[in-house]
Amino acid sequence: MNDKLAELRALAQEKIAKAESVQQADALRVEFLGKKGKITDMLKSMKDMAPEERKSFGQVANETKAQIEKMIAEKMSSLKAAARQAQLLSQTIDVTEPGTSIPLGTRHLITQTIDEVTRIFMSMGFSLAEGPEVETVFNNFDALNAGPNHPARDMTDTFYIDDKILLRTQTSPVQVRTLMAQKPPIAVIAPGRCFRCDTPDATHSPMFHQIEGLVVDEGITMADLKGVLDSFAKQMFGSSTKTNFRPHHFPFTEPSAEMDVSCFKCGGKGCRVCKGSGWIEILGCGLVHPNVLKVGGLDTEKYTGFAFGMGVERIAMLKYELDDIRLLYENDIRFIEQFK
Ligand code: DAH
Protein backbone atom coordinates (compact mmCIF):
# COMPACT_ATOMS: atom_id res chain seq x y z
CA MET A 1 0.00 0.00 0.00
CA ASN A 2 2.81 2.39 0.88
CA ASP A 3 4.17 1.90 -2.64
CA LYS A 4 0.96 3.37 -3.99
CA LEU A 5 1.52 6.46 -1.89
CA ALA A 6 5.08 6.76 -3.16
CA GLU A 7 3.78 6.44 -6.73
CA LEU A 8 1.15 9.05 -6.05
CA ARG A 9 3.75 11.42 -4.66
CA ALA A 10 6.00 10.87 -7.67
CA LEU A 11 3.06 11.51 -10.00
CA ALA A 12 2.17 14.68 -8.12
CA GLN A 13 5.77 15.85 -8.20
CA GLU A 14 5.98 15.29 -11.92
CA LYS A 15 2.72 17.04 -12.66
CA ILE A 16 3.45 19.95 -10.35
CA ALA A 17 6.83 20.46 -12.00
CA LYS A 18 5.10 20.74 -15.35
CA ALA A 19 2.42 23.21 -14.22
CA GLU A 20 2.81 26.44 -16.12
CA SER A 21 0.19 28.63 -14.56
CA VAL A 22 -1.45 29.37 -11.25
CA GLN A 23 -4.67 27.90 -12.69
CA GLN A 24 -2.94 24.64 -13.59
CA ALA A 25 -1.36 24.41 -10.13
CA ASP A 26 -4.73 25.01 -8.57
CA ALA A 27 -6.27 22.25 -10.70
CA LEU A 28 -3.58 19.89 -9.36
CA ARG A 29 -4.44 20.89 -5.81
CA VAL A 30 -8.03 19.83 -6.49
CA GLU A 31 -6.87 16.67 -8.26
CA PHE A 32 -4.68 15.47 -5.40
CA LEU A 33 -5.91 17.15 -2.25
CA GLY A 34 -9.52 18.04 -3.00
CA LYS A 35 -12.59 16.39 -1.43
CA LYS A 36 -12.72 13.89 -4.27
CA GLY A 37 -8.98 13.97 -4.82
CA LYS A 38 -6.53 11.09 -5.10
CA ILE A 39 -5.18 11.37 -1.53
CA THR A 40 -8.65 11.61 -0.07
CA ASP A 41 -9.61 8.45 -2.00
CA MET A 42 -6.66 6.63 -0.49
CA LEU A 43 -7.45 7.78 3.02
CA LYS A 44 -11.02 6.52 2.48
CA SER A 45 -9.69 3.10 1.52
CA MET A 46 -8.10 2.81 4.99
CA LYS A 47 -11.35 1.66 6.56
CA ASP A 48 -10.90 -1.79 5.00
CA MET A 49 -7.36 -2.25 6.42
CA ALA A 50 -6.13 -4.22 9.37
CA PRO A 51 -5.42 -1.93 12.38
CA GLU A 52 -1.58 -2.04 12.21
CA GLU A 53 -1.53 -1.55 8.50
CA ARG A 54 -3.99 1.29 8.88
CA LYS A 55 -1.74 3.04 11.40
CA SER A 56 1.43 2.96 9.32
CA PHE A 57 -0.48 3.67 6.12
CA GLY A 58 -2.24 6.63 7.75
CA GLN A 59 1.04 8.08 8.91
CA VAL A 60 2.66 7.81 5.49
CA ALA A 61 -0.52 9.04 3.78
CA ASN A 62 -0.55 12.15 5.99
CA GLU A 63 3.12 12.78 5.30
CA THR A 64 2.51 12.37 1.58
CA LYS A 65 -0.42 14.75 1.77
CA ALA A 66 1.70 17.31 3.59
CA GLN A 67 4.51 16.94 1.04
CA ILE A 68 2.14 17.40 -1.90
CA GLU A 69 0.58 20.42 -0.15
CA LYS A 70 4.00 21.92 0.29
CA MET A 71 5.02 21.25 -3.33
CA ILE A 72 1.85 22.88 -4.60
CA ALA A 73 2.23 25.88 -2.29
CA GLU A 74 5.82 26.40 -3.42
CA LYS A 75 4.86 26.02 -7.06
CA MET A 76 2.01 28.47 -6.58
CA SER A 77 4.20 31.12 -5.07
CA SER A 78 6.89 30.77 -7.73
CA LEU A 79 4.24 30.90 -10.50
CA LYS A 80 2.68 33.99 -8.91
CA ALA A 81 6.03 35.69 -8.66
CA ALA A 82 6.79 34.87 -12.30
CA ALA A 83 3.38 36.16 -13.41
CA ARG A 84 3.93 39.38 -11.50
CA GLN A 85 7.38 39.76 -13.01
CA ALA A 86 5.99 39.22 -16.53
CA GLN A 87 3.27 41.75 -15.86
CA LEU A 88 5.79 44.32 -14.65
CA LEU A 89 7.97 43.76 -17.69
CA SER A 90 5.08 44.10 -20.11
CA GLN A 91 4.03 47.35 -18.43
CA THR A 92 7.39 49.02 -18.43
CA ILE A 93 7.11 52.72 -19.28
CA ASP A 94 9.92 54.39 -21.14
CA VAL A 95 9.86 57.83 -19.59
CA THR A 96 12.28 59.14 -22.19
CA GLU A 97 9.91 58.32 -25.08
CA PRO A 98 8.45 61.49 -26.66
CA GLY A 99 4.73 61.97 -25.90
CA THR A 100 2.01 61.86 -28.51
CA SER A 101 1.63 65.40 -29.74
CA ILE A 102 -1.82 66.91 -29.24
CA PRO A 103 -2.78 69.09 -32.21
CA LEU A 104 -3.30 72.64 -30.97
CA GLY A 105 -6.16 74.59 -32.47
CA THR A 106 -5.91 78.06 -33.96
CA ARG A 107 -8.22 80.96 -33.16
CA HIS A 108 -10.27 81.69 -36.25
CA LEU A 109 -9.29 84.80 -38.17
CA ILE A 110 -12.65 86.41 -37.39
CA THR A 111 -12.19 85.71 -33.68
CA GLN A 112 -8.65 87.08 -33.82
CA THR A 113 -9.85 90.26 -35.52
CA ILE A 114 -12.71 90.76 -33.04
CA ASP A 115 -10.33 90.13 -30.11
CA GLU A 116 -7.79 92.61 -31.44
CA VAL A 117 -10.34 95.40 -32.05
CA THR A 118 -12.01 94.72 -28.70
CA ARG A 119 -8.68 94.79 -26.87
CA ILE A 120 -7.81 98.19 -28.37
CA PHE A 121 -11.14 99.76 -27.42
CA MET A 122 -11.12 98.20 -23.96
CA SER A 123 -7.69 99.74 -23.40
CA MET A 124 -9.38 103.10 -24.10
CA GLY A 125 -12.01 102.44 -21.41
CA PHE A 126 -14.79 100.85 -23.45
CA SER A 127 -16.70 97.91 -22.03
CA LEU A 128 -18.29 95.03 -23.89
CA ALA A 129 -22.01 95.01 -24.76
CA GLU A 130 -24.09 92.30 -26.36
CA GLY A 131 -27.37 91.89 -28.16
CA PRO A 132 -29.28 88.99 -29.69
CA GLU A 133 -28.96 87.93 -33.33
CA VAL A 134 -32.74 87.58 -33.49
CA GLU A 135 -33.89 91.18 -32.95
CA THR A 136 -37.03 93.22 -33.02
CA VAL A 137 -37.76 95.28 -36.13
CA PHE A 138 -38.08 98.21 -33.73
CA ASN A 139 -34.52 97.90 -32.36
CA ASN A 140 -32.99 97.16 -35.75
CA PHE A 141 -34.77 99.93 -37.68
CA ASP A 142 -37.36 102.20 -36.02
CA ALA A 143 -35.35 103.05 -32.90
CA LEU A 144 -32.37 103.73 -35.16
CA ASN A 145 -34.32 106.41 -36.98
CA ALA A 146 -34.80 104.25 -40.09
CA GLY A 147 -38.48 104.93 -40.78
CA PRO A 148 -41.00 102.61 -42.47
CA ASN A 149 -39.81 103.55 -45.95
CA HIS A 150 -36.10 103.07 -45.39
CA PRO A 151 -34.68 100.94 -48.21
CA ALA A 152 -32.75 98.62 -45.85
CA ARG A 153 -36.09 97.41 -44.45
CA ASP A 154 -36.90 95.86 -47.80
CA MET A 155 -37.86 92.17 -47.73
CA THR A 156 -35.14 91.51 -50.28
CA ASP A 157 -32.41 92.76 -47.94
CA THR A 158 -33.60 91.51 -44.57
CA PHE A 159 -34.42 88.06 -43.18
CA TYR A 160 -37.77 88.60 -41.47
CA ILE A 161 -39.04 86.01 -38.97
CA ASP A 162 -42.42 87.81 -38.91
CA ASP A 163 -43.42 91.46 -39.22
CA LYS A 164 -41.99 92.34 -35.80
CA ILE A 165 -38.94 90.04 -35.56
CA LEU A 166 -35.92 89.70 -37.84
CA LEU A 167 -32.32 88.54 -37.97
CA ARG A 168 -30.43 91.73 -37.19
CA THR A 169 -28.91 93.30 -40.30
CA GLN A 170 -26.34 95.26 -38.26
CA THR A 171 -24.96 95.44 -34.71
CA SER A 172 -26.43 98.95 -34.34
CA PRO A 173 -29.50 97.69 -32.37
CA VAL A 174 -27.06 97.09 -29.49
CA GLN A 175 -26.86 100.91 -29.34
CA VAL A 176 -30.60 100.97 -28.66
CA ARG A 177 -30.41 98.20 -26.04
CA THR A 178 -27.50 99.96 -24.33
CA LEU A 179 -29.28 103.33 -24.29
CA MET A 180 -32.36 101.68 -22.77
CA ALA A 181 -30.35 99.85 -20.11
CA GLN A 182 -27.60 102.28 -19.07
CA LYS A 183 -27.20 105.90 -18.12
CA PRO A 184 -24.30 108.03 -19.43
CA PRO A 185 -21.37 108.07 -19.35
CA ILE A 186 -21.59 105.22 -21.85
CA ALA A 187 -18.65 103.73 -23.80
CA VAL A 188 -19.36 100.28 -25.22
CA ILE A 189 -18.12 98.07 -27.99
CA ALA A 190 -20.41 95.34 -29.36
CA PRO A 191 -19.08 92.68 -31.71
CA GLY A 192 -21.49 90.19 -33.22
CA ARG A 193 -23.07 88.35 -36.10
CA CYS A 194 -25.37 90.01 -38.64
CA PHE A 195 -27.50 88.70 -41.48
CA ARG A 196 -28.62 90.00 -44.86
CA CYS A 197 -30.26 88.34 -47.87
CA ASP A 198 -27.15 88.25 -50.01
CA THR A 199 -26.17 85.50 -52.39
CA PRO A 200 -22.71 84.29 -51.39
CA ASP A 201 -19.90 85.36 -53.71
CA ALA A 202 -16.31 86.47 -53.27
CA THR A 203 -17.32 89.59 -51.32
CA HIS A 204 -20.80 88.78 -49.95
CA SER A 205 -22.09 86.41 -47.31
CA PRO A 206 -25.63 86.22 -45.87
CA MET A 207 -23.97 85.97 -42.43
CA PHE A 208 -21.13 88.25 -41.42
CA HIS A 209 -19.76 90.09 -38.39
CA GLN A 210 -19.70 93.71 -37.31
CA ILE A 211 -18.28 95.62 -34.38
CA GLU A 212 -20.38 98.49 -33.10
CA GLY A 213 -19.20 101.28 -30.85
CA LEU A 214 -21.18 103.84 -28.85
CA VAL A 215 -20.07 106.71 -26.64
CA VAL A 216 -22.57 109.00 -24.91
CA ASP A 217 -21.85 111.69 -22.36
CA GLU A 218 -22.12 115.42 -21.78
CA GLY A 219 -20.14 117.44 -24.30
CA ILE A 220 -19.15 114.67 -26.73
CA THR A 221 -18.21 116.16 -30.12
CA MET A 222 -16.88 115.18 -33.52
CA ALA A 223 -13.40 115.84 -32.10
CA ASP A 224 -13.86 112.96 -29.62
CA LEU A 225 -15.00 110.70 -32.46
CA LYS A 226 -11.98 111.57 -34.58
CA GLY A 227 -9.51 111.30 -31.72
CA VAL A 228 -10.74 107.87 -30.59
CA LEU A 229 -11.03 106.41 -34.10
CA ASP A 230 -7.66 107.82 -35.20
CA SER A 231 -6.03 106.25 -32.14
CA PHE A 232 -7.78 102.96 -32.91
CA ALA A 233 -6.54 103.06 -36.54
CA LYS A 234 -2.95 103.64 -35.43
CA GLN A 235 -3.08 100.77 -32.93
CA MET A 236 -4.78 98.44 -35.38
CA PHE A 237 -2.90 99.19 -38.60
CA GLY A 238 0.39 100.72 -37.46
CA SER A 239 1.48 103.99 -35.84
CA SER A 240 2.11 105.80 -39.13
CA THR A 241 -1.51 105.22 -40.26
CA LYS A 242 -3.39 108.38 -41.26
CA THR A 243 -7.19 108.71 -41.19
CA ASN A 244 -9.56 110.57 -43.47
CA PHE A 245 -13.23 111.27 -42.77
CA ARG A 246 -15.62 111.61 -45.72
CA PRO A 247 -19.20 112.86 -45.32
CA HIS A 248 -21.79 110.09 -45.67
CA HIS A 249 -25.33 109.29 -44.61
CA PHE A 250 -26.65 106.94 -41.95
CA PRO A 251 -30.13 107.35 -40.49
CA PHE A 252 -28.95 107.03 -36.88
CA THR A 253 -26.10 109.57 -36.99
CA GLU A 254 -25.96 113.25 -37.89
CA PRO A 255 -23.49 114.29 -39.18
CA SER A 256 -22.31 110.95 -40.56
CA ALA A 257 -19.00 109.98 -42.07
CA GLU A 258 -17.00 107.11 -43.43
CA MET A 259 -13.46 106.71 -42.17
CA ASP A 260 -10.64 105.72 -44.49
CA VAL A 261 -7.18 104.72 -43.33
CA SER A 262 -3.99 105.23 -45.33
CA CYS A 263 -3.16 101.93 -46.98
CA PHE A 264 -1.25 99.73 -44.50
CA LYS A 265 0.18 97.77 -47.39
CA CYS A 266 1.76 100.53 -49.51
CA GLY A 267 1.67 103.38 -47.01
CA GLY A 268 -0.50 105.48 -49.34
CA LYS A 269 1.38 105.25 -52.62
CA GLY A 270 -1.28 103.08 -54.22
CA CYS A 271 -1.32 99.28 -54.63
CA ARG A 272 -3.54 96.27 -55.23
CA VAL A 273 -4.95 96.33 -51.67
CA CYS A 274 -6.08 99.98 -51.84
CA LYS A 275 -6.92 99.68 -55.55
CA GLY A 276 -4.41 102.40 -56.34
CA SER A 277 -6.08 105.10 -54.23
CA GLY A 278 -3.76 104.95 -51.20
CA TRP A 279 -6.82 104.84 -48.89
CA ILE A 280 -8.95 102.02 -47.50
CA GLU A 281 -12.49 102.46 -46.24
CA ILE A 282 -12.76 100.94 -42.77
CA LEU A 283 -15.91 102.04 -40.98
CA GLY A 284 -19.04 104.18 -40.79
CA CYS A 285 -19.46 106.66 -37.96
CA GLY A 286 -21.13 109.84 -36.83
CA LEU A 287 -22.68 111.78 -33.97
CA VAL A 288 -25.64 109.90 -32.53
CA HIS A 289 -28.90 111.29 -33.95
CA PRO A 290 -31.05 112.99 -31.28
CA ASN A 291 -33.94 110.68 -32.20
CA VAL A 292 -31.82 107.70 -31.13
CA LEU A 293 -30.81 109.35 -27.84
CA LYS A 294 -34.51 110.02 -27.18
CA VAL A 295 -35.24 106.28 -27.33
CA GLY A 296 -33.06 106.00 -24.23
CA GLY A 297 -35.00 108.87 -22.64
CA LEU A 298 -31.98 111.16 -22.65
CA ASP A 299 -32.09 114.94 -22.60
CA THR A 300 -30.65 115.73 -26.03
CA GLU A 301 -29.71 119.26 -24.95
CA LYS A 302 -27.46 117.81 -22.27
CA TYR A 303 -26.13 114.63 -23.83
CA THR A 304 -24.44 113.94 -27.14
CA GLY A 305 -22.56 110.95 -28.43
CA PHE A 306 -20.79 109.27 -31.27
CA ALA A 307 -21.16 105.83 -32.81
CA PHE A 308 -19.30 103.72 -35.31
CA GLY A 309 -19.62 100.36 -36.97
CA MET A 310 -17.14 98.26 -38.90
CA GLY A 311 -17.23 95.00 -40.82
CA VAL A 312 -15.00 92.32 -39.30
CA GLU A 313 -14.62 90.24 -42.45
CA ARG A 314 -13.66 93.34 -44.43
CA ILE A 315 -10.86 94.20 -42.00
CA ALA A 316 -9.60 90.59 -41.88
CA MET A 317 -9.69 90.33 -45.68
CA LEU A 318 -7.79 93.58 -46.16
CA LYS A 319 -5.23 92.80 -43.49
CA TYR A 320 -4.51 89.28 -44.73
CA GLU A 321 -5.16 90.03 -48.41
CA LEU A 322 -7.88 87.40 -48.79
CA ASP A 323 -9.63 87.57 -52.13
CA ASP A 324 -12.68 85.49 -51.19
CA ILE A 325 -14.84 85.98 -48.09
CA ARG A 326 -15.96 82.34 -48.29
CA LEU A 327 -12.49 81.22 -47.17
CA LEU A 328 -13.52 82.50 -43.75
CA TYR A 329 -16.48 80.14 -43.48
CA GLU A 330 -15.24 76.95 -45.09
CA ASN A 331 -13.28 76.15 -41.93
CA ASP A 332 -10.58 74.38 -43.86
CA ILE A 333 -7.93 73.72 -41.21
CA ARG A 334 -5.17 74.33 -43.80
CA PHE A 335 -6.47 77.87 -44.26
CA ILE A 336 -7.09 78.59 -40.58
CA GLU A 337 -3.71 77.25 -39.49
CA GLN A 338 -1.90 79.86 -41.57
CA PHE A 339 -2.92 82.51 -39.03
CA LYS A 340 -1.41 81.03 -35.86
N1 DAH B 1 -24.79 99.89 -39.12
C1 DAH B 1 -24.06 100.41 -40.23
C2 DAH B 1 -24.08 99.42 -41.39
O1 DAH B 1 -24.38 98.30 -41.17
C3 DAH B 1 -22.64 100.74 -39.88
C4 DAH B 1 -22.56 101.94 -39.00
C5 DAH B 1 -22.42 103.20 -39.55
C6 DAH B 1 -22.66 101.83 -37.63
C7 DAH B 1 -22.34 104.32 -38.79
C8 DAH B 1 -22.58 102.98 -36.84
C9 DAH B 1 -22.44 104.21 -37.44
O2 DAH B 1 -22.70 102.94 -35.51
O3 DAH B 1 -22.37 105.35 -36.63
O4 DAH B 1 -23.76 99.76 -42.48
Side-chain angles (χ1 to χ4, degrees):
M1 260 333 252
N2 287 0
D3 292 351
K4 281 201 167 175
L5 283 168
E7 259 172 46
L8 191 62
R9 197 185 60 204
L11 178 67
Q13 192 167 22
E14 192 191 323
K15 284 195 159 186
I16 291 166
K18 284 189 190 147
E20 280 171 352
S21 66
V22 173
Q23 288 85 336
Q24 283 176 16
D26 197 53
L28 292 174
R29 184 185 57 74
V30 176
E31 180 179 337
F32 287 94
L33 308 168
K35 266 195 194 134
K36 291 179 182 157
K38 293 193 161 76
I39 286 279
T40 321
D41 280 352
M42 287 211 171
L43 288 171
K44 277 183 194 154
S45 69
M46 275 167 49
K47 63 180 187 310
D48 305 324
M49 291 177 188
E52 292 89 86
E53 200 192 352
R54 190 186 296 167
K55 191 176 172 205
S56 82
F57 180 86
Q59 203 177 350
V60 179
N62 278 328
E63 277 168 25
T64 307
K65 188 182 173 193
Q67 285 162 350
I68 296 176
E69 269 170 0
K70 191 166 171 243
M71 287 190 286
I72 290 180
E74 280 169 6
K75 186 69 182 182
M76 280 277 203
S77 77
S78 79
L79 283 171
K80 278 184 184 161
R84 175 99 184 108
Q85 191 63 24
Q87 190 189 23
L88 284 176
L89 278 174
S90 73
Q91 290 177 349
T92 315
I93 295 166
D94 178 359
V95 291
T96 64
E97 197 180 309
T100 11
S101 62
I102 300 162
L104 256 196
T106 311
R107 274 183 315 147
H108 193 280
L109 213 49
I110 289 179
T111 311
Q112 288 186 34
T113 308
I114 289 175
D115 287 354
E116 170 86 56
V117 173
T118 306
R119 186 191 60 74
I120 293 171
F121 281 103
M122 286 186 122
S123 78
M124 292 195 271
F126 284 66
S127 52
L128 209 57
E130 263 186 335
E133 291 164 12
V134 181
E135 252 299 358
T136 59
V137 173
F138 178 80
N139 285 351
N140 195 83
F141 290 129
D142 301 271
L144 288 165
N145 203 34
N149 296 319
H150 196 273
R153 299 180 72 133
D154 202 316
M155 289 285 290
T156 56
D157 294 327
T158 305
F159 291 111
Y160 284 93
I161 307 288
D162 59 32
D163 55 2
K164 288 198 168 65
I165 306 287
L166 45 63
L167 298 186
R168 67 178 177 191
T169 61
Q170 49 187 356
T171 44
S172 305
V174 184
Q175 288 190 38
V176 177
R177 289 178 174 270
T178 305
L179 285 167
M180 287 180 174
Q182 300 180 23
K183 290 275 152 262
I186 289 169
V188 293
I189 190 95
R193 219 165 264 165
C194 309
F195 307 84
R196 285 180 202 177
C197 296
D198 276 323
T199 305
D201 63 21
T203 52
H204 293 85
S205 162
M207 187 281 300
F208 56 98
H209 299 74
Q210 286 189 340
I211 301 177
E212 192 79 15
L214 174 70
V215 171
V216 179
D217 202 356
E218 287 181 52
I220 297 288
T221 70
M222 200 71 184
D224 297 296
L225 177 155
K226 289 178 93 170
V228 167
L229 293 181
D230 185 78
S231 169
F232 158 70
K234 287 181 166 56
Q235 292 182 66
M236 186 76 192
F237 302 110
S239 54
S240 57
T241 304
K242 292 197 231 12
T243 49
N244 182 47
F245 292 81
R246 278 178 292 105
H248 201 79
H249 170 78
F250 297 105
F252 39 84
T253 44
E254 182 59 37
S256 304
E258 278 189 329
M259 181 180 88
D260 301 332
V261 297
S262 54
C263 180
F264 40 80
K265 184 76 184 169
C266 66
K269 287 193 281 295
C271 69
R272 202 179 77 97
V273 174
C274 59
K275 299 200 179 85
S277 73
W279 294 96
I280 297 173
E281 180 202 317
I282 288 295
L283 53 78
C285 56
L287 294 186
V288 183
H289 196 289
N291 288 351
V292 178
L293 292 175
K294 278 180 201 151
V295 173
L298 294 181
D299 176 353
T300 56
E301 291 301 315
K302 190 170 168 198
Y303 292 108
T304 48
F306 70 84
F308 53 90
M310 63 190 97
V312 177
E313 280 80 351
R314 186 177 158 72
I315 292 178
M317 287 175 76
L318 287 166
K319 202 165 161 184
Y320 297 98
E321 292 181 55
L322 312 179
D323 50 17
D324 196 321
I325 195 172
R326 290 168 291 194
L327 287 168
L328 293 167
Y329 310 120
E330 282 165 359
N331 282 342
D332 186 329
I333 197 81
R334 291 166 301 179
F335 170 75
I336 297 173
E337 270 179 349
Q338 293 173 49
F339 308 101
K340 271 205 169 132

